[in-house]
Amino acid sequence: MSGASDRAEASGPPNWILHHPAQMKDLEVADSAQVHAAFLVYMDLTEVRQWKEVSCVKSPELQLVLLEAKEKEGGPVQSVLPLPVHRSLNHRSIRHVLDRGFPMLLCAVASDSTLVYQRMTDGLVTPDPPAGSFQDMGRRQHRKRRQKQH
């Protein structure tokens, strides 16, 4: 080992928390539960999911903290709306975030810090077909069983 790496190990791991946004509190959003939810989502996106260029943005119209991030390097910017599960959401709020021009993710944050992401779109989107081979045996299989019993 070199002397430089020995000194780095001796000083301990870098204080990674200092790289995260302390300015989230400075955005002056009155709903502390929503700010806490935004921080949890921020930590999930940066530390767990390894998203790139994650930043905090205040929405004065909604009095919320929004996050903007890229899922991959060079990917499109996405708006993430973190909300505590007890907070209601209306069409106007969703419309406001969608009108920012970025794809939108809604993240519901439970009291136990469970995060559930839901992609929101402008309009209806046709679902993807099921992966792999899919065979509907529901009613036909039931009918065959019933015929064998009689």
Side-chain angles (χ1 to χ4, degrees):
M1 289 192 158
S2 70
S5 65
D6 289 341
R7 283 192 298 277
E9 287 178 13
S11 66
N15 197 351
W16 58 271
I17 196 71
L18 294 176
H19 300 288
H20 294 295
Q23 79 270 14
M24 201 177 287
K25 289 184 260 177
D26 299 335
L27 293 175
E28 298 178 4
V29 173
D31 185 352
S32 62
Q34 198 273 326
V35 174
H36 178 71
F39 181 74
L40 292 174
V41 174
Y42 177 91
M43 295 300 290
D44 182 60
L45 292 176
T46 57
E47 297 300 322
V48 177
R49 299 176 186 275
Q50 302 291 312
W51 281 34
K52 310 298 179 204
E53 302 177 32
V54 182
S55 61
C56 307
V57 180
K58 178 181 179 182
S59 171
E61 300 84 2
L62 302 177
Q63 281 299 300
L64 296 171
V65 175
L66 297 173
L67 301 173
E68 290 181 352
K70 294 181 179 183
E71 190 171 359
K72 299 174 189 162
E73 195 69 46
V77 172
Q78 298 186 47
S79 291
V80 182
L81 174 56
L83 277 184
V85 293
H86 68 273
R87 179 143 180 201
S88 63
L89 185 65
N90 60 30
H91 183 264
R92 184 183 63 82
S93 301
I94 295 170
R95 178 86 264 148
H96 177 75
V97 177
L98 285 170
D99 285 347
R100 296 172 52 82
F102 304 125
M104 177 187 169
L105 286 175
L106 173 64
C107 183
V109 181
S111 59
D112 67 354
S113 299
T114 299
L115 305 177
V116 177
Y117 292 91
Q118 178 66 48
R119 187 165 308 281
M120 307 296 285
T121 61
D122 192 5
L124 298 175
V125 176
T126 305
D128 293 332
S133 63
F134 179 79
Q135 186 176 2
D136 181 17
M137 295 182 58
R139 291 191 170 271
R140 279 187 270 158
Q141 189 69 20
H142 180 68
R143 204 176 318 141
K144 285 179 185 177
R145 276 193 220 131
R146 207 174 30 189
Q147 288 173 350
K148 285 180 185 178
Q149 290 173 352
H150 293 279

